[in-house]
Amino acid sequence: MVSGEEVSSLAVNTQPAQAAADERIREVGVLSRLMARPELGALVAVVVVWLFFAVVAADNNFISWATTAAILNRAAPLGILAIAVALLMIAGEFDLSIGSLVGFGGMAIMMLVTPVEAGGFGWAILPAIGVALLITLATGFFNGVLVVTTKLPSFIITLGSLFIFRGLAVAVPRSATNRTQLGGLDEVSGYGPMDAILGTKLELFGARFDVAIVWWIGLTIIATWVLMRTRVGNWIFGVGGDNVAARNVGVPVNRLKIALFMTTAFAAFLSALIQAFQFNGADSLRGSLKEFEAIIAVVIGGTLLTGGYGSVIGALLGTLIFAMVQQGIIITGVDGDWFKVFVGGILVAAVIFNNFVRQQATKR
Amino acid sequence: MSEPILEVQNISKFFGSVIALKDVSMFVRAGEVTCLLGDNGAGKSTLIKVLSGVHKPDEGVYRYQGSEVSFSSPRDALDLGIATVYQDLAMIPLMSIWRNFFLGSEPTVGWGPFRRFDVDFAKRTTREELGKMGIDIRDPDQPVGTLSGGERQSVAIARAVYFGAKVLILDEPTAALGVKQAGVVLRYIVQAKQRGIGVIFITHNPHHAYPVGDHFVILRRGQIYGDFTKDEIPLEQLVQMMAGGADLEVLSHELEKAAEGGGPGADELEKVAEGFEAEARGEAD
């Protein structure tokens, strides 16, 4: 890991360090500084993908507020998931159940508000949201406790949860209400004020932006602050970098991991809640494959699959790339079947690029 | 002679039918270095784990600052000022030096939900503390993975000292290091000792132990084979005891023969031998 040249340049002495000018620190250019940031690859990719569609889809009105709004509206629900997935992955764990939890959380809300005669509980909107949130958080707790007590890879544990919670999201509503899609949220008492903060569209520049975008960006800022500037953030990096070493210096590894699994469950719930207001109801199958899309967005954003390194801003950029490609393919009229080819290609390219950047960053 | 700061008496540890430690007693005083020597399988790791609070001893007494203690986790020991620096688990390579330095004990500023990691303080303190130990780091932002093995050990030692360690348990800190790097780490051990810390230095290399140690505990097959102060035992004897005498004598005869034979490596061998002796003499003064 350490080259001979570096060893010889070590010059350790017993005198206190001269703080001022150290001849061993080179003036590092802005570019090199940027290279050390995990988000760099994603930032470059955002620009490249945008330019690509700006040229290719120029006739299809790609550079317009309407298209920008469409991209951001598409990105926000996935982006909310990606924030929590990024934190969890930096801590070295996976949550493959997050997509299922979107379906599960949405159906939990709708089951509680659906009238009794239709097989539901007929609650008002606020208590329904509160209780559904608690149930969904409990699923995250369940995932976290299973992972830390069994010490099995979270990949396997949450792969199981993926099926368990998707199965519950289908089976419970079907046996109670005979349906896997529940609508009519706007008829529930207390709908108005909640819709204003979760489902509204904001008119700006003649385009309609979902209020979910505000949640997405706001949570990204909060999560970035937590990760970079709080104790918990330092623990997340430490646990992802080396579980045992972190435990040895007193980081509460198990509690942290359980909390992070509950954070992904919370993100799934928020995403489900926002979509319930957007679509005026829930669908048992909502959120299918979102677990992979969120992981892809996070990895494109520069987070290492092995943990210990990454960023939430990167996850935001990764989500943006995802949504731009999706929207770009739709408006250029290219067959939608090509979308997956494109996304897979970007994913592989991103991983290769991230690997390269990380090696450069840790070498200097 | 002052009282020992940390002392174990007649400690035994069993794993099923395996007797890992039997009637082991040892101590360290503040401002002294106790070297714990033993070959692979002698029970060093088990003893470290008992001392650092990972394992509870099945028999025996653990005294710290004169009173009997019992730890249920390494955190308990750490809270009392018994810090352990493990050979390979000391640092997280992808994290910057200052993040590593404060991991698990982050200083905070602010109030309530706005309580945050005091990053400026952390960076400044990391630089200062390493400077005090004579470690001149180039940039606290650089990932620990870019440091050499010796520097990493040194940072870990500096960290333990900063967080108020009164006893420092060092698990083979020089094992994977080259001669020059090992020298750097040995110097920090002396620094820590001069700051009044009791150091337990675990190693299988008597040449590293002898220059810095005040007394030497030799562990063999789970039992104490001997406990000597520096005046009682010359380096040669320590080396012999360590490896069980006979084997080593055969080896040294072979080496001598090789040197006499005047083969291509002969000069080098002689130099190595001289170097070791010089080191031992020079540092022992």
Side-chain angles (χ1 to χ4, degrees):
Chain A
M1 193 179 308
V2 179
S3 67
E5 209 175 329
E6 196 174 342
V7 173
S8 61
S9 74
L10 278 180
V12 184
N13 55 51
T14 41
Q15 301 303 312
Q18 265 109 43
D22 191 328
E23 75 284 2
R24 288 166 303 165
I25 301 181
R26 280 185 298 132
E27 268 307 313
V28 199
V30 177
L31 191 68
S32 307
R33 284 236 170 244
L34 267 178
M35 286 288 277
R37 303 282 322 149
E39 310 83 350
L40 174 78
L43 191 62
V44 172
V46 165
V47 175
V48 169
V49 170
W50 191 85
L51 285 176
F52 174 80
F53 283 110
V55 173
V56 172
D59 301 338
N60 309 86
N61 223 6
F62 186 79
I63 311 177
S64 68
W65 284 111
T67 303
T68 307
I71 291 171
L72 293 176
N73 290 346
R74 192 175 279 284
L78 177 63
I80 290 169
L81 301 182
I83 293 166
V85 170
L87 295 178
L88 185 68
M89 279 178 65
I90 295 170
E93 301 288 351
F94 283 99
D95 188 352
L96 295 182
S97 72
I98 191 166
S100 296
L101 289 181
V102 173
F104 180 90
M107 289 314 270
I109 300 165
M110 291 312 296
M111 281 289 292
L112 291 171
V113 298
T114 297
V116 178
E117 52 279 14
F121 289 82
W123 289 13
I125 212 149
L126 217 51
I129 290 175
V131 170
L133 172 62
L134 288 180
I135 295 171
T136 314
L137 285 179
T139 65
F141 184 75
F142 168 81
N143 280 334
V145 168
L146 265 187
V147 168
V148 299
T149 52
T150 62
K151 301 196 195 311
L152 288 168
S154 51
F155 190 90
I156 289 300
I157 300 275
T158 60
L159 186 60
S161 319
L162 182 157
F163 285 95
I164 293 172
F165 295 118
R166 181 66 71 192
L168 286 173
V170 176
V172 173
R174 178 123 68 193
S175 57
T177 66
N178 231 351
R179 302 163 62 180
T180 58
Q181 290 176 319
L182 295 172
L185 187 65
D186 54 0
E187 290 154 21
V188 180
S189 77
Y191 174 81
M194 293 310 289
D195 183 58
I197 58 169
L198 292 164
T200 329
K201 292 184 181 299
L202 310 168
E203 294 273 353
L204 277 176
F205 314 109
R208 288 156 71 82
F209 292 85
D210 288 345
V211 71
I213 298 166
V214 177
W215 284 93
W216 173 36
I217 292 170
L219 288 175
T220 299
I221 293 168
I222 293 172
T224 298
W225 181 76
V226 168
L227 188 63
M228 303 307 292
R229 284 293 177 267
T230 68
R231 307 186 66 177
V232 171
N234 212 38
W235 295 349
I236 290 174
F237 281 117
V239 167
D242 190 333
N243 223 330
V244 183
R247 196 189 307 269
N248 281 343
V249 296
V251 175
V253 175
N254 289 350
R255 271 192 298 154
L256 181 72
K257 282 190 176 171
I258 292 171
L260 287 171
F261 276 104
M262 291 176 76
T263 307
T264 57
F266 173 78
F269 180 80
L270 185 62
S271 188
L273 185 62
I274 284 168
Q275 292 180 75
F277 280 91
Q278 283 174 352
F279 298 105
N280 192 28
D283 183 331
S284 291
L285 296 181
R286 183 151 292 140
S288 298
L289 291 180
K290 290 295 171 201
E291 55 280 336
F292 294 110
E293 294 181 6
I295 290 174
I296 290 169
V298 168
V299 171
I300 292 175
T303 298
L304 282 184
L305 280 164
T306 43
Y309 187 79
S311 107
V312 178
I313 308 242
L316 178 138
L317 297 173
T319 312
L320 207 51
I321 292 168
F322 208 95
M324 275 199 294
V325 172
Q326 220 168 10
Q327 193 65 26
I329 283 178
I330 290 170
I331 64 168
T332 42
V334 178
D335 193 336
D337 297 344
W338 291 97
F339 172 64
K340 285 183 180 159
V341 179
F342 215 98
V343 166
I346 289 186
L347 175 66
V348 174
V351 173
I352 292 171
F353 183 80
N354 287 347
N355 222 17
F356 170 74
V357 167
R358 181 171 50 105
Q359 280 167 0
Q360 293 301 312
T362 49
K363 235 193 310 187
R364 295 217 192 163
Chain B
M1 272 290 158
S2 61
E3 284 294 299
I5 181 164
L6 184 155
E7 183 176 28
V8 289
Q9 280 175 342
N10 304 321
I11 291 276
S12 298
K13 180 73 195 169
F14 314 114
F15 296 106
S17 61
V18 178
I19 301 170
L21 292 175
K22 183 72 188 157
D23 281 337
V24 170
S25 302
M26 63 164 291
F27 65 89
V28 63
R29 294 192 187 93
E32 281 194 5
V33 178
T34 294
C35 293
L36 183 61
L37 293 136
D39 217 339
N40 295 334
K44 289 184 307 228
S45 318
T46 311
L47 184 52
I48 297 160
K49 284 181 177 159
V50 169
L51 293 174
S52 63
V54 176
H55 292 326
K56 268 190 187 168
D58 293 313
E59 289 169 6
V61 179
Y62 190 144
R63 269 200 207 90
Y64 180 67
Q65 292 183 321
S67 50
E68 206 171 306
V69 288
S70 168
F71 303 128
S72 53
S73 80
R75 185 81 227 183
D76 290 352
L78 197 59
D79 288 342
L80 287 182
I82 304 169
T84 309
V85 175
Y86 292 95
Q87 180 189 341
D88 46 352
L89 303 173
M91 293 276 137
I92 292 163
L94 279 171
M95 284 171 85
S96 61
I97 300 174
W98 63 271
R99 279 189 180 274
N100 261 291
F101 197 92
F102 285 98
L103 182 62
S105 314
E106 294 82 359
T108 54
V109 286
W111 172 86
F114 302 105
R115 213 155 66 102
R116 59 195 183 275
F117 188 178
D118 193 345
V119 172
D120 293 334
F121 174 82
K123 286 186 185 177
R124 198 175 58 239
T125 310
T126 303
R127 190 175 253 289
E128 282 170 9
E129 285 303 312
L130 293 180
K132 272 187 216 163
M133 294 289 287
I135 310 162
D136 183 8
I137 50 167
R138 285 148 285 191
D139 175 6
D141 265 322
Q142 82 189 87
V144 160
T146 62
L147 297 178
S148 66
E151 283 181 308
R152 266 186 245 189
Q153 286 289 339
S154 309
V155 172
I157 294 171
R159 172 168 87 179
V161 171
Y162 173 73
F163 285 109
K166 294 179 189 131
V167 173
L168 201 53
I169 302 170
L170 305 174
D171 179 14
E172 304 259 9
T174 57
L177 304 181
V179 176
K180 196 174 166 192
Q181 297 268 319
V184 170
V185 173
L186 292 179
R187 198 170 288 140
Y188 300 137
I189 293 176
V190 175
Q191 293 254 359
K193 166 186 153 160
Q194 283 168 351
R195 290 173 76 166
I197 294 164
V199 181
I200 299 174
F201 174 24
I202 292 108
T203 180
H204 58 250
N205 188 337
H207 299 289
H208 289 164
Y210 201 76
V212 299
D214 291 296
H215 74 131
F216 305 91
V217 177
I218 298 167
L219 201 61
R220 198 186 284 172
R221 299 176 70 87
Q223 301 190 25
I224 295 289
Y225 180 75
D227 187 341
F228 309 94
T229 63
K230 199 172 212 157
D231 320 330
E232 290 170 351
I233 187 169
L235 177 61
E236 294 74 27
Q237 207 182 329
L238 191 67
V239 173
Q240 276 210 335
M241 276 182 193
M242 262 291 303
D247 292 350
L248 205 76
E249 235 153 74
V250 173
L251 180 67
S252 84
H253 281 309
E254 276 171 17
L255 286 175
E256 257 165 48
K257 245 182 233 159
E260 279 165 15
D267 291 346
E268 209 131 315
L269 278 175
E270 229 162 312
K271 246 183 242 163
V272 170
E274 277 170 24
F276 270 136
E277 273 171 43
E279 187 189 330
R281 269 200 309 275
E283 301 273 353
D285 285 348

